[in-house]
Amino acid sequence: MGLFTANINTNIFHEWVTQDLLTKFLPTCVIIMDNATFYKRQGVKTAFANAGYTLEYLLSYFPDFNDIEPKWAQA
């Protein structure tokens, strides 16, 4: 795994995906990511597609999938 000593941004995420992450998946994986803006760079989408992976995004906001949300509601 790569180590970056900076805040994440589109360029850093793209470099990590193309240089490190894509080498670790099994063939025909489905990759699921949330909707952070730096995940949606066209180059990232293209890199996953060219490697033969399916890329899916979670819904914009769906608290039922987040286990912490009921606890915050109680607070």
Side-chain angles (χ1 to χ4, degrees):
M1 177 165 174
L3 176 64
F4 296 93
T5 56
N7 293 329
I8 189 75
N9 63 33
T10 304
N11 294 330
I12 290 173
F13 183 71
H14 180 264
E15 293 301 314
W16 176 68
V17 165
T18 56
Q19 294 177 16
D20 187 43
L21 188 65
L22 287 178
T23 65
K24 296 180 176 161
F25 289 129
L26 297 173
T28 68
C29 284
V30 176
I31 312 304
I32 301 173
M33 291 195 269
D34 65 20
N35 284 293
T37 31
F38 50 83
Y39 295 160
K40 294 190 171 186
R41 175 178 169 175
Q42 188 58 46
V44 170
K45 295 176 183 180
T46 302
F48 280 112
N50 290 343
Y53 302 121
T54 301
L55 181 58
E56 298 287 341
Y57 293 98
L58 292 174
L59 299 173
S60 294
Y61 179 71
F62 205 88
D64 295 343
F65 290 149
N66 188 344
D67 293 337
I68 196 71
E69 291 295 332
K71 297 298 179 191
W72 282 115
Q74 292 173 1

